[in-house]
Amino acid sequence: RVAFDTVGAALKENPDNLDLWERLTELGEALDLLPELAERLSEAYDSEQLDDELQLDLAGRLAVIYDERLGRRGDAERFHRRVLTSDSSNETSFVALEELFTADERWDDLLVLYREALEEVTSDERRLDLLLKVCFIVDEVRRDVAAAIDAYRAVLEVDPTNAESIRALAGLYEEAERW
């Protein structure tokens, strides 16, 4: 424990020192001090002494520690968001946020996540997947007929033969009396 505290104190003075990150991580894992490790690394992250590259690196590490090692998804959220801000194709952070928002029924946050991903997506397959998830939320969860119609129409722009969207639109048009 003394070694962990000593390295932690050194990290506080030198938050941009990768060797100290590594050593503290090794000690934290060996001594089963993961909550303390996360706290010390979070302090380094928040120190405002890291350049963008180091901050991104540390955000990725902290996301893993909080989410996968400690099971504290809420604490991992800001780090996953930071990763996605710099790398919108990072599937690990995307899925972690998607699972968090779904489990907590944070539908607005989930829609923002999907819409931001749609702005960056390049493949039609991925676009279709994201659009169908948006459709589910606005149609099944929120029951927002106008938004659901728009979402299903967006699906048909990508896949004009999508049977699910065609059926859903028929029902929504009937419900909205928009024949």
Side-chain angles (χ1 to χ4, degrees), residues 17 26 29 36 50 52 92 113 118 127 137 148 173-174:
N17 186 317
E26 290 169 9
E29 289 176 353
E36 293 87 347
L50 305 179
D52 285 345
T92 301
L113 181 71
L118 281 164
R127 179 174 305 284
I137 294 170
Y173 281 143
E174 187 174 312

Side-chain angles (χ1 to χ4, degrees), residues 68-83:
E68 297 173 16
R69 305 291 303 280
L70 294 173
R72 291 169 44 187
R73 286 183 163 175
D75 290 325
E77 179 180 345
R78 76 176 175 130
F79 302 111
H80 283 303
R81 284 182 184 270
R82 172 63 177 93
V83 170

Side-chain angles (χ1 to χ4, degrees), residues 128 131 151-163 165-166 169:
L128 185 61
L131 286 169
Y152 285 117
R153 291 176 79 186
V155 168
L156 293 177
E157 288 176 18
V158 176
D159 178 8
T161 63
N162 185 282
S165 294
I166 293 169
L169 272 173

Side-chain angles (χ1 to χ4, degrees), residues 59-108:
R61 293 173 190 233
L62 282 162
V64 169
I65 292 169
Y66 277 119
D67 198 356
E68 297 173 16
R69 305 291 303 280
L70 294 173
R72 291 169 44 187
R73 286 183 163 175
D75 290 325
E77 179 180 345
R78 76 176 175 130
F79 302 111
H80 283 303
R81 284 182 184 270
R82 172 63 177 93
V83 170
L84 282 180
T85 298
S86 293
D87 179 9
S88 62
S89 67
N90 186 295
E91 193 65 17
T92 301
S93 286
F94 180 87
V95 169
L97 288 174
E98 182 178 43
E99 290 173 356
L100 171 68
F101 298 156
T102 301
D104 291 350
E105 298 182 1
R106 292 171 51 187
W107 308 119
D108 289 340

Side-chain angles (χ1 to χ4, degrees), residues 15-16 18 21 41-42 44-63 78-79 82-83 85-86:
D16 59 346
L18 288 169
W21 293 4
L41 291 177
S42 292
Y45 179 87
D46 292 331
S47 71
E48 298 182 8
Q49 296 181 35
L50 305 179
D51 63 27
D52 285 345
E53 186 177 329
L54 286 177
Q55 191 179 52
L56 179 60
D57 182 359
L58 191 51
R61 293 173 190 233
L62 282 162
R78 76 176 175 130
F79 302 111
R82 172 63 177 93
V83 170
T85 298
S86 293

